[in-house]
Amino acid sequence: MKRKNWYLTIGTVLTACMLAFTALGLFWTPCVPSAMDAAARNAPPSAAHLFGCDAYGRDVLSRTLEGAGSTLTIALAVLAVGAACGLAVGALCGYYGGPADALIMRLCDAAAAFPSVLLALVVLAITGPGKYNVIGALGVLFIPSFARLVRGEFLKYRDRDFVKSARLMGVRDMRIIFVHILPNTWPTLLSGLTIGFNNAVLAEASMSYLGIGVRPTEPSLGYMLKDAQGTLFTLPWCTVFPAAAVVLLILGVGLVGEGIRERMGAAE
Amino acid sequence: MAEPMVRISHLNSWYGRGRNRKQVLRDVSLELAPGEALGVVGESGSGKSTLAKCVLGMVTDITGTLEVRSPRPQMVFQDPYGSLNPVKTVGWILEEPLRASGVRDRAERRRRVLDFLPLVGLEEEHLARKPAQLSGGQRQRVAIAAALIQGGRLIVLDEPVSALDVTLQAQILRLLAGLREKLGLSYLFISHDLAVVYQLCTRVAVMTEGGIVEEGDVDQIYDHPRHPYTKKLLAASLALD
Ligand SMILES: Nc1ncnc2c1ncn2[C@@H]1O[C@H](COP(=O)(O)OP(=O)(O)OP(=O)(O)O)[C@@H](O)[C@H]1O
Ligand SMILES: [Mg+2]
């Protein structure tokens, strides 16, 4: 009686398509993304320029491909920083508990009380724009939410009989944490990672849109949208295609996350 | 007489701290000889599991004397769903105690696991399965094997058959009795079921409100209970049958 998990199916297909699109952009673009072709200024979509050209005569498809690659890389890097640190903090806090845990969770609460994009804005206002600054600022700001998620899972498992039994056998704490408990938390963490990924994509796009994310010379979907906002009605393709790339990427990953949650719910 | 496997005298134990600190065990004294199976019976909340945890060093807020002679005493839990790691295979679960006691060689661990399987009535084909793919009785066999494979002589069993139906109970009890004889194990067997204790144990201690009110050979206690609480417990158990 296995019901088809449509979220997971559609989400996986969509995510795979967007990843393929992005991966393509890392190796190949139809034109040089920054090349300005005076003859093709304001050109609407055509066989020569599938997504049209912008006011400087730059090929929108090439720029979207490149921007998607960069946005995705930044989001993944943010996730790697946030998830790795959050995992370590959350696992130790959840497993050991005690006053250190209470203190760290208070700090996480305090950090979570501010919208993370706003905090990132402040950090970037100090450090200046740039890809690595964005990754650093967002990555650090993502730690508390992951830490909280992981801690909750570890709290759930640390008093289970199989953990007590491992302790009695003399298994070391680090092994209990990472080999015995962690694999049990994968479904929850994965679903958390999909949410984190989407937040990272959005945060990077918004910050670049606001002009404090990547530098103007670095590609980013958010920065393309900022560039195109003056010509939204005259050159809609400059906005529609990068925006669609952001939306489809987020939608795909979001559906995967929803699908994982549905499957977990079904398993329980 | 040989030195006891477990010697407890005047043991008190507490849970919680500060204002919430609550005494559970009150002046408990017990001895468990090597090769003996001692049943601990009593109503829910009387402190049976707490006594088990003390013996295993899982409760540390205690006073009195507590001597345990077996290295690495192990526990068999009531619920074989919770005591086996759901994401691991049976093979991994049985090898892990060996890994923890320093058996580095994979082939050696594998061999020792395979040697152990017939003792608990499991087959090689079970090794590749996850706990969810086993029956309740098979899971409890895996839990028992995991508790024994390190070679510890003292096993604490906290209601190990309460979650199983009656035919399975009988099977597992027979298995436990056979293992005790073959491997020379000592059992501290916790149960609220007097009939189960009668089948497996040689001696029994009766607990209520954190203290032991009566203790002796099974036959003696069952036939000639002295303490009113024991009489009540026996009467209640007979009424059930
Ligand atoms: N971790 C704990 N923290 C605080 N109190 C506890 C804890 N574990 C048990 N208690 C309390 O200690 C008392 C004895 O509990 P224990 O689990 O030893 O009873 P038991 O005899 O095993 O009961 P049961 O037959 O229901 O398993 C109970 O009042 C219980 O509420
Ligand atoms: Mg109990």
Side-chain angles (χ1 to χ4, degrees):
Chain A
M1 234 196 53
K2 209 170 158 195
R3 208 155 49 82
K4 192 119 181 76
N5 191 332
W6 283 112
Y7 286 136
L8 202 55
T9 315
I10 299 175
T12 310
V13 171
L14 194 53
T15 307
C17 290
M18 289 313 293
L19 286 181
F21 179 80
T22 310
L24 175 70
L26 296 179
F27 303 107
W28 176 84
T29 50
C31 307
V32 177
S34 56
M36 303 181 193
D37 178 359
R41 273 185 199 157
N42 305 336
S46 67
H49 299 286
L50 282 178
F51 287 7
C53 289
D54 67 8
Y56 303 99
R58 293 177 298 190
D59 181 52
V60 175
L61 174 57
S62 303
R63 286 173 60 70
T64 307
L65 278 167
E66 196 189 34
S70 156
T71 294
L72 185 83
T73 321
I74 294 176
L76 287 178
V78 167
L79 212 56
V81 173
C85 301
L87 179 72
V89 172
L92 295 176
C93 284
Y95 185 75
Y96 289 109
D101 168 45
L103 179 69
I104 292 173
M105 284 305 125
R106 239 357 80 71
L107 290 176
C108 285
D109 284 339
F114 295 97
S116 58
V117 175
L118 200 66
L119 272 182
L121 283 179
V122 174
V123 174
L124 285 169
I126 298 166
T127 63
K131 194 167 162 175
Y132 296 105
N133 292 344
V134 172
I135 293 173
L138 282 178
V140 170
L141 289 171
F142 273 44
I143 295 174
S145 60
F146 276 112
R148 192 156 274 292
L149 180 74
V150 175
R151 175 180 178 269
E153 283 293 290
F154 272 77
L155 270 185
K156 198 166 95 191
Y157 283 103
R158 72 165 182 204
D159 291 323
R160 291 276 168 97
D161 288 346
F162 72 82
V163 175
K164 287 186 196 155
S165 164
R167 260 185 233 126
L168 286 175
M169 286 163 187
V171 180
R172 284 208 223 88
D173 280 356
M174 285 302 133
R175 187 170 168 86
I176 292 183
I177 290 175
F178 291 108
V179 180
H180 289 241
I181 301 184
L182 188 60
N184 282 284
T185 69
W186 274 136
T188 308
L189 295 198
L190 253 154
S191 124
L193 282 177
T194 61
I195 296 175
F197 175 83
N198 280 356
N199 286 341
V201 169
L202 283 178
E204 187 277 321
S206 346
M207 293 199 314
S208 298
Y209 179 79
L210 292 173
I212 50 149
V214 301
R215 292 198 190 85
T217 48
E218 292 167 331
S220 142
L221 294 176
Y223 199 81
M224 285 179 75
L225 291 172
K226 171 186 161 61
D227 250 5
Q229 69 179 338
T231 56
L232 177 60
F233 295 107
T234 48
L235 309 173
W237 50 88
C238 292
T239 304
V240 168
F241 291 110
V246 174
V247 169
L248 290 178
L249 189 60
I250 288 181
L251 188 64
V253 174
L255 285 173
V256 169
E258 194 56 47
I260 294 173
R261 276 186 292 282
E262 187 175 279
R263 177 177 284 185
M264 278 196 299
E268 269 159 21
Chain B
M1 195 180 131
E3 234 183 282
M5 189 60 103
V6 179
R7 201 168 68 81
I8 295 170
S9 66
H10 307 293
L11 182 73
N12 297 289
S13 91
W14 290 263
Y15 282 122
R17 283 157 188 260
R19 243 180 240 187
N20 295 323
R21 191 161 180 259
K22 195 183 89 186
Q23 185 166 9
V24 174
L25 294 186
R26 289 162 205 282
D27 198 33
V28 171
S29 298
L30 266 187
E31 281 197 3
L32 173 60
E36 183 183 47
L38 170 66
V40 177
V41 298
E43 88 277 3
S44 184
S46 55
K48 307 182 295 291
S49 297
T50 305
L51 177 62
K53 286 192 216 161
C54 287
V55 170
L56 294 168
M58 292 157 79
V59 175
T60 45
D61 191 0
I62 55 175
T63 63
T65 328
L66 172 65
E67 287 164 23
V68 176
R69 277 207 316 135
S70 168
R72 295 266 152 84
Q74 295 297 309
M75 175 128 166
V76 175
F77 295 87
Q78 168 173 0
D79 175 17
Y81 291 75
S83 62
L84 303 177
N85 195 331
V87 300
K88 304 292 186 185
T89 61
V90 171
W92 188 93
I93 290 170
L94 293 181
E95 278 186 42
E96 185 64 1
L98 297 175
R99 265 182 229 112
S101 48
V103 184
R104 289 271 169 75
D105 183 29
R106 220 176 152 258
E108 159 84 0
R109 288 198 305 262
R110 180 88 188 166
R111 190 184 58 70
R112 282 173 60 176
V113 168
L114 285 174
D115 286 351
F116 213 88
L117 288 180
L119 277 177
V120 292
L122 289 169
E123 315 270 331
E124 192 176 345
E125 53 153 330
H126 294 133
L127 292 181
R129 299 207 204 154
K130 301 262 174 77
Q133 298 161 326
L134 298 175
S135 70
Q138 287 168 337
R139 283 181 218 206
Q140 203 55 307
R141 287 169 195 270
V142 174
I144 291 168
L148 295 179
I149 203 161
Q150 278 184 327
R153 291 299 182 76
L154 171 63
I155 309 294
V156 176
L157 305 109
D158 193 350
E159 310 264 10
V161 296
S162 311
L164 307 174
D165 69 47
V166 181
T167 31
L168 271 178
Q169 280 197 358
Q171 273 182 30
I172 298 290
L173 287 174
R174 237 177 292 127
L175 173 71
L176 287 171
L179 286 169
R180 178 165 75 92
E181 211 156 283
K182 248 179 262 169
L183 305 174
L185 305 173
S186 311
Y187 290 160
L188 183 66
F189 186 92
I190 313 269
S191 181
H192 65 274
D193 187 337
L194 292 157
V196 163
V197 169
Y198 189 79
Q199 284 178 59
L200 189 73
C201 299
T202 43
R203 276 194 315 133
V204 60
V206 182
M207 273 190 95
T208 181
E209 286 165 17
I212 290 179
V213 291
E214 192 165 1
E215 191 221 322
D217 288 342
V218 168
D219 289 320
Q220 178 211 325
I221 300 265
Y222 280 49
D223 294 339
H224 308 288
R226 276 195 309 243
H227 195 277
Y229 178 73
T230 315
K231 288 178 185 163
K232 212 176 81 188
L233 214 57
L234 279 166
S237 131
L238 285 176
L240 280 178
D241 290 341

